[in-house]
């Protein structure tokens, strides 16, 4: 839908041997970037699905292509991305 954004919920399903090594960023069609999960954050219980909410895109239009970028900041471990979904809260 073509909404004026109030918040975005990113629902991410992944597994990783050391999830605190991961960085997750979301970019809007207008080019705004929100770091949803910074690397080396102590987050060590990712083996399933979780939600992250961002208000960084407040006031932007929801229409267009969104990009999620998940980066493993430290080599030597493995993981996989099962799926991801965005939910836009707006008007």
């Amino acid at each position: 839908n073509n909404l004026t954004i109030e918040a975005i919920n990113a629902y991410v399903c992944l597994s990783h041997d050391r999830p605190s090594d991961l960085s997750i960023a979301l970019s809007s069609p207008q080019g705004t970037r929100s770091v949803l999960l910074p690397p080396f954050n102590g987050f060590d219980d990712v083996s399933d699905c979780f939600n992250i909410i961002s208000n960084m895109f407040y006031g932007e239009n929801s229409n267009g292509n969104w990009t999620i970028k998940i980066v493993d900041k430290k080599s030597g471990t493995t993981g996989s991305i099962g799926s991801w979904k965005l939910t836009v809260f707006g008007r």
Side-chain angles (χ1 to χ4, degrees):
N1 292 333
N2 192 13
L3 299 173
T4 299
I5 299 170
E6 293 184 12
I8 294 281
N9 182 74
Y11 180 72
V12 181
C13 295
L14 58 83
S15 64
H16 194 275
D17 292 338
R18 252 191 340 251
S20 66
D21 293 351
L22 299 178
S23 171
I24 302 175
L26 179 66
S27 296
S28 73
Q30 289 79 25
T32 303
R33 182 174 174 267
S34 176
V35 176
L36 302 177
L37 187 68
F40 312 117
N41 52 49
F43 195 48
D44 64 355
D45 192 23
V46 177
S47 60
D48 203 6
C49 302
F50 57 98
N51 291 290
I52 304 173
I53 294 177
S54 176
N55 296 99
M56 181 65 83
F57 310 103
Y58 185 85
E60 289 188 17
N61 188 286
S62 64
N63 197 25
N65 293 320
W66 290 78
T67 305
I68 192 165
K69 184 175 183 180
I70 301 175
V71 177
D72 189 340
K73 295 289 192 172
K74 191 172 183 182
S75 63
T77 57
T78 61
S80 63
I81 301 166
S83 63
W84 67 282
K85 177 177 78 169
L86 293 180
T87 302
V88 176
F89 299 97
R91 54 190 189 287

